[in-house]
Amino acid sequence: MKSVLVVAARDLKRFWSYRFWLAGQIVMNVADIVIFGLLFNNMINRSLIPDYIKFVTPGILSLALFISSFSIGREVGVELRREVSDYLLSLPVSRVELVLGRFTGGALRGLIYQSGFIVLAMLLVGVPSGYAWLVVAYTSITLSFAMSGLSIALSTVTRDFNLQATIRSVVYYVLFFFSNIFYPPRVVAARFGRFADAVSYSPLSIATSLYRWAFGYTPEVDVAVDSLLLAAWTAVLLLASYFLYLRNLTKKG
């Protein structure tokens, strides 16, 4: 366990070196709340969304966690292309501990980055109750590990830089736009048609629904079912990422 935390601490330390990237992401996430809130608050039917700022803010929690946890994959991909694998394998940690440490490092990036937006959500939407706080914590931890695992999996599925960048970009934008972060259910149904049900089962949509429930915006959420679905996503993504990353750590050429 100590070795896992050492590897995670290494990745977390590198995260703080991206000061300008972090500053840009914070500005973009806050702008999502402010700009979308100002633009759509008086344009959208109040029967659909009484207050768009309160509607979109829990979604930004998912988005912030997604973006920051996803950053770990870019570093893993660069290491594989530059043949840093031999150095990593020479460290006094087992391969399992190394992989788990990378997962944990990516997840911690997401949790720390998201913490400021949780405070903002408390100010804009409301303060969760005791049990709701457990749902927030559970959602954040599971989603951060899921996105960390997904990012590493996408960066290790191939060593070809162009193909890797294409795959990451496609998956990134599919998760970003095919979600309920910016759209209520009726708009999702109108926008995506027969794919609307699939949108509601994406990990970002599930997490956003749980956040909206926890912060008191949407009471009609089956917390137990959504929690199980998010856990299933996390387990599948981490398992796939584990085998892909472990394979590529020792693969030459």
Side-chain angles (χ1 to χ4, degrees):
M1 186 61 174
K2 182 179 179 181
S3 298
V4 172
L5 295 178
V6 169
V7 174
R10 167 186 175 271
D11 284 330
L12 193 58
K13 183 178 180 181
R14 295 172 66 182
F15 186 54
W16 301 124
S17 64
Y18 308 140
R19 299 182 188 89
F20 296 108
W21 181 84
L22 286 169
Q25 292 302 321
I26 291 172
V27 171
M28 287 176 60
N29 290 149
V30 173
D32 285 336
I33 297 174
V34 176
I35 294 176
F36 280 104
L38 292 176
L39 286 176
F40 296 133
N41 208 35
N42 295 318
M43 294 172 58
I44 295 179
N45 190 327
R46 291 303 177 95
S47 64
L48 290 177
I49 303 179
D51 189 326
Y52 190 80
I53 291 179
K54 290 185 178 181
F55 171 82
V56 77
T57 298
I60 300 303
L61 293 181
S62 298
L63 194 59
L65 200 61
F66 166 50
I67 292 171
S68 49
S69 297
F70 216 69
S71 65
I72 188 67
R74 183 171 56 251
E75 294 177 20
V76 170
V78 170
E79 290 171 354
L80 289 173
R81 291 196 305 275
R82 294 180 177 176
E83 301 293 342
V84 185
S85 304
D86 290 339
Y87 163 73
L88 294 175
L89 292 172
S90 70
L91 296 174
V93 298
S94 69
R95 293 176 183 178
V96 174
E97 290 172 329
L98 176 61
V99 177
L100 293 180
R102 307 311 296 273
F103 290 159
T104 305
L108 288 175
R109 290 180 177 194
L111 293 171
I112 293 173
Y113 179 83
Q114 188 205 46
S115 60
F117 290 95
I118 289 180
V119 174
L120 184 61
M122 291 169 58
L123 296 174
L124 295 178
V125 186
V127 180
S129 63
Y131 173 68
W133 272 120
L134 294 178
V135 174
V136 171
Y138 170 84
T139 304
S140 295
I141 292 171
T142 49
L143 183 64
S144 63
F145 272 97
M147 294 300 99
S148 176
L150 175 61
S151 181
I152 291 174
L154 296 176
S155 297
T156 56
V157 71
T158 176
R159 294 196 180 200
D160 183 283
F161 173 75
N162 293 323
L163 183 57
Q164 184 186 111
T166 300
I167 293 173
R168 281 175 56 85
S169 297
V170 170
V171 173
Y172 184 97
Y173 286 109
V174 166
L175 287 175
F176 185 93
F177 289 108
F178 286 80
S179 72
N180 63 1
I181 291 176
F182 299 106
Y183 315 111
R186 283 172 59 182
V187 175
V188 169
R191 181 180 176 86
F192 300 110
R194 60 182 178 179
F195 298 106
D197 290 338
V199 170
S200 66
Y201 288 111
S202 79
L204 290 185
S205 292
I206 295 170
T208 299
S209 296
L210 289 171
Y211 284 134
R212 286 186 177 132
W213 178 87
F215 283 89
Y217 183 85
T218 307
E220 302 86 8
V221 173
D222 193 328
V223 176
V225 171
D226 281 357
S227 297
L228 288 175
L229 287 173
L230 190 57
W233 267 112
T234 302
V236 169
L237 292 173
L238 287 179
L239 193 62
S241 180
Y242 174 83
F243 287 111
L244 283 170
Y245 186 31
L246 203 58
R247 181 198 69 180
N248 281 287
L249 274 175
T250 55
K251 183 180 178 181
K252 300 297 182 181

